[in-house]
């Protein structure tokens, strides 16, 4: 359905539901920080826990949720699981938001995301 006078089609209810679910997952500062960290490069759960300042079990639970949502994936590297971003579009949205908020803060570095 097109919005009156806009010429744009409204997204389907299914698309809106999936978008809301993805934004809901990223509404957690901890998960947002994990996605931000993985956007910089692959990592195992221990490295992520050290980087984001969270307990290993909590980071592992967050990774499980992100993995189930298709935002990250894991691959085996020897005896460990290495995590990486599985949806580059989500990374683009996260980078855009963080960059914009950092810019609005008057060139003050964005605070380290916490919440684990």
């Amino acid at each position: 359905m097109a919005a009156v006078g806009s010429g744009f089609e409204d997204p389907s209810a299914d698309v809106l539901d999936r978008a809301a679910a993805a934004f809901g997952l990223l509404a957690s500062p901890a998960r947002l920080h994990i996605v931000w960290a993985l956007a910089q490069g692959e990592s195992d759960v221990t490295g992520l826990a050290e980087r984001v300042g969270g307990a290993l079990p909590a980071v592992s639970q967050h990774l499980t949720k992100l993995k189930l949502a298709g935002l990250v994936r894991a691959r085996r590297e020897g005896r460990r699981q290495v995590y990486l971003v599985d949806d580059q579009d989500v990374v683009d949205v996260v980078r855009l938001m963080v960059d914009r908020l950092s810019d609005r803060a008057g060139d003050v570095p964005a605070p380290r995301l916490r919440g684990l």
Side-chain angles (χ1 to χ4, degrees), residues 18-86:
R18 289 184 298 164
F23 280 119
L25 277 171
L26 294 174
S28 159
R31 287 190 290 272
L32 186 61
H33 196 175
I34 289 168
V35 170
W36 178 265
L38 290 175
Q40 314 309 308
E42 303 176 346
S43 181
D44 65 8
V45 68
T46 303
L48 282 169
E50 289 172 4
R51 178 160 181 186
V52 303
L56 202 62
V59 171
S60 183
Q61 283 184 327
H62 288 302
L63 284 166
T64 297
K65 289 179 181 180
L66 291 167
K67 194 172 157 186
L68 287 171
L71 301 179
V72 302
R73 64 184 167 96
R75 64 175 177 77
R76 277 249 175 252
E77 191 174 274
R79 295 177 56 173
R80 64 187 189 128
Q81 292 263 22
V82 176
Y83 292 88
L84 55 148
V85 172
D86 199 31

